[in-house]
Amino acid sequence: MNHQMPKHKNQIVPNPKPWGSIRSSLHSLIAVLVATLLVGTVYLTQEYAVQFLEDSTSSTVVRTTGYSCNLFSGKWVFDNQSYPLYKGLQCTYMSDQLACEKFGRKDLSFQNWRWQPHQCNLSRFNATALLERLRNKRVVYVGDSLNRNQWVSMVCLIESAVPAEHKSMHTNGSLTTFKATEYNATVEFYWAPLLVESNSDHPVNHRIPERIVRVQAIEKHARHWSDADFLVFNSYLWWRRSMMSVLWGSFESSNGIYKDVKMPSIKVEGYWENSSDLKMMRVVENVLGELKTRGLDVQMLNITQLSQYRKEGHPSIYRKQWDVLTEEQLTNPSSFADCIHWCLPGVPDVWNELLYAYIFQ
């Protein structure tokens, strides 16, 4: 499915419509996001068209110099001359959860792999060019710690191109903002692990044994990012459970109705391993096709398969441990190893390179 970018090159006028006029469309979009376990990037244009980087089986193409190229059909190539794109120990805003080298990882070859599409080349990431394209704009990553992983990657990719006196990082509740003042551009992260309102929304204290989501409750979060120019959604990890408690009503009211809802199975063996359900992805395609008929144009890009090649890119034991490890844990490293997030520099940089390619197509 091809999607034409807006003709204006360097500036995208923020959507002039009020939040209420697009609320119903975004309700549908959020429902698709949280129900289908996506890792996704959404780009809202003036015409309310949307581009979407996510887990999909679609063969999405990008047009380059007169021909189409599937950026997601390719292979990983070892390249220690031009990769990594930045030095992890030199990134001002690196997270200790992702700083594998800082916490003792000696084999750094995981940083030297480049994604090579079969039919074309990815444009090399140019932080200055991207910041210019983002001048006077907001990029907001919305989701859980995996989405924060990609946000930290993007900040590390661009922050070295900004002098110290012209960049800042500020946290206000669930929203953390990196700002390049010279460009009046922000790259932000908003903690909303289930996208809709939930009992896990506190930006720090969100380790809750039983997670509860509130039905059709998006406005509380969306008011913080409804005027963004680029939105990156992620909600995958938190829906990987057999049951989810759902609330009809308000968390503040004693009259709410709670119901345990069985979640779809996401255990599929084979190349896609046990973390992706191909049938669900096809359902996503059908639902997003229906959204297009309602004026919300969504383009799906496949980052799942290329990421699943890279198991060695996870932090494992090489990260900050937020809790003191017990003697029993120390004798069994697999009990505290992180095989969900990604070391930086690493795989999420490629996710952002793919986003970069679509921004500049």
Side-chain angles (χ1 to χ4, degrees):
M1 178 168 58
N2 294 329
H3 173 78
Q4 297 298 320
M5 290 289 288
K7 293 181 180 180
H8 38 285
K9 294 182 178 180
N10 294 324
Q11 184 173 5
I12 297 176
V13 180
N15 294 327
K17 290 187 179 182
W19 163 246
S21 66
I22 62 171
R23 180 171 53 193
S24 61
S25 294
L26 277 175
H27 267 308
S28 300
L29 176 60
I30 297 303
V32 171
L33 286 166
V34 299
T36 52
L37 317 176
L38 306 180
V39 176
T41 300
V42 179
Y43 169 54
L44 298 175
T45 72
Q46 185 177 5
E47 293 79 16
Y48 301 100
V50 180
Q51 288 187 331
F52 196 20
L53 180 62
E54 56 104 46
D55 294 347
S56 166
T57 56
S58 300
S59 295
T60 308
V61 298
V62 61
R63 295 197 173 277
T64 58
T65 61
Y67 69 93
S68 298
C69 174
N70 180 359
L71 295 179
F72 310 96
S73 175
K75 61 182 179 180
W76 288 96
V77 176
F78 188 78
D79 179 358
N80 59 4
Q81 298 299 313
S82 52
Y83 282 75
L85 296 173
Y86 57 90
K87 299 295 185 183
L89 294 178
Q90 296 176 9
C91 177
T92 308
Y93 306 106
M94 177 61 71
S95 166
D96 282 350
Q97 185 179 27
L98 315 169
C100 300
E101 182 179 5
K102 176 180 177 181
F103 287 91
R105 183 161 180 175
K106 302 301 182 183
D107 176 12
L108 302 181
S109 61
F110 69 91
Q111 300 180 354
N112 302 126
W113 291 90
R114 169 174 55 85
W115 179 249
Q116 177 60 58
H118 289 312
Q119 299 173 323
C120 59
N121 295 318
L122 276 174
S123 299
R124 183 163 177 83
F125 192 96
N126 185 317
T128 302
L130 180 60
L131 285 165
E132 189 60 51
R133 182 61 61 96
L134 298 180
R135 183 179 290 276
N136 300 320
K137 294 180 175 59
R138 289 184 73 199
V139 180
V140 186
Y141 290 75
V142 179
D144 60 17
S145 58
L146 273 175
N147 215 29
R148 183 167 56 205
N149 201 160
Q150 186 179 357
W151 168 73
V152 173
S153 160
M154 178 61 86
V155 171
C156 288
L157 282 164
I158 64 175
E159 66 101 11
S160 63
V162 183
E165 64 272 20
H166 294 304
K167 60 187 175 186
S168 64
M169 185 74 78
H170 174 72
T171 297
N172 182 13
S174 296
L175 185 67
T176 302
T177 302
F178 169 80
K179 185 170 185 178
T181 55
E182 185 178 358
Y183 298 89
N184 191 33
T186 61
V187 179
E188 307 169 36
F189 173 73
Y190 183 85
W191 174 264
L194 288 148
L195 302 185
V196 294
E197 190 176 344
S198 78
N199 66 339
S200 306
D201 290 342
H202 193 281
V204 178
N205 301 318
H206 45 250
R207 293 187 179 183
I208 297 174
E210 182 183 3
R211 299 181 181 103
I212 303 171
V213 295
R214 185 176 166 224
V215 171
Q216 295 182 337
I218 189 64
E219 287 89 348
K220 177 182 177 181
H221 296 318
R223 63 189 176 89
H224 294 281
W225 41 257
S226 59
D227 64 342
D229 299 284
F230 295 83
L231 288 173
V232 184
F233 290 110
N234 171 286
S235 182
Y236 179 84
L237 179 64
W238 290 56
W239 291 82
R240 294 193 62 190
R241 51 182 52 244
S242 59
M243 301 289 291
M244 179 70 73
S245 185
V246 178
L247 166 64
W248 281 263
S250 169
F251 284 109
E252 290 75 26
S253 173
S254 60
N255 298 322
I257 299 174
Y258 293 83
K259 183 178 179 180
D260 288 335
V261 177
K262 186 176 181 180
M263 302 304 294
S265 171
I266 56 172
K267 300 295 183 181
V268 178
E269 299 299 326
Y271 166 74
W272 290 86
E273 302 176 13
N274 64 354
S275 58
S276 303
D277 188 328
L278 304 187
K279 292 181 180 179
M280 289 184 67
M281 292 181 183
R282 294 187 182 99
V283 171
V284 176
E285 293 175 353
N286 293 334
V287 173
L288 296 184
E290 294 174 7
L291 288 179
K292 186 175 182 180
T293 66
R294 297 166 53 185
L296 195 65
D297 189 12
V298 179
Q299 175 128 359
M300 298 188 298
L301 314 178
N302 181 343
I303 61 170
T304 301
Q305 192 173 24
L306 65 88
S307 301
Q308 288 185 340
Y309 286 116
R310 297 293 311 280
K311 289 184 178 181
E312 94 294 354
H314 295 297
S316 183
I317 63 173
Y318 300 107
R319 64 180 180 90
K320 181 176 180 178
Q321 303 298 328
W322 305 106
D323 299 315
V324 178
L325 297 175
T326 66
E327 190 170 324
E328 182 180 358
Q329 287 176 311
L330 290 171
T331 60
N332 181 20
S334 63
S335 66
F336 62 91
D338 183 348
C339 297
I340 294 172
H341 301 95
W342 300 89
C343 295
L344 292 179
V347 172
D349 301 330
V350 172
W351 302 347
N352 284 319
E353 283 186 277
L354 293 166
L355 174 59
Y356 176 96
Y358 270 79
I359 292 174
F360 281 92
Q361 72 168 333

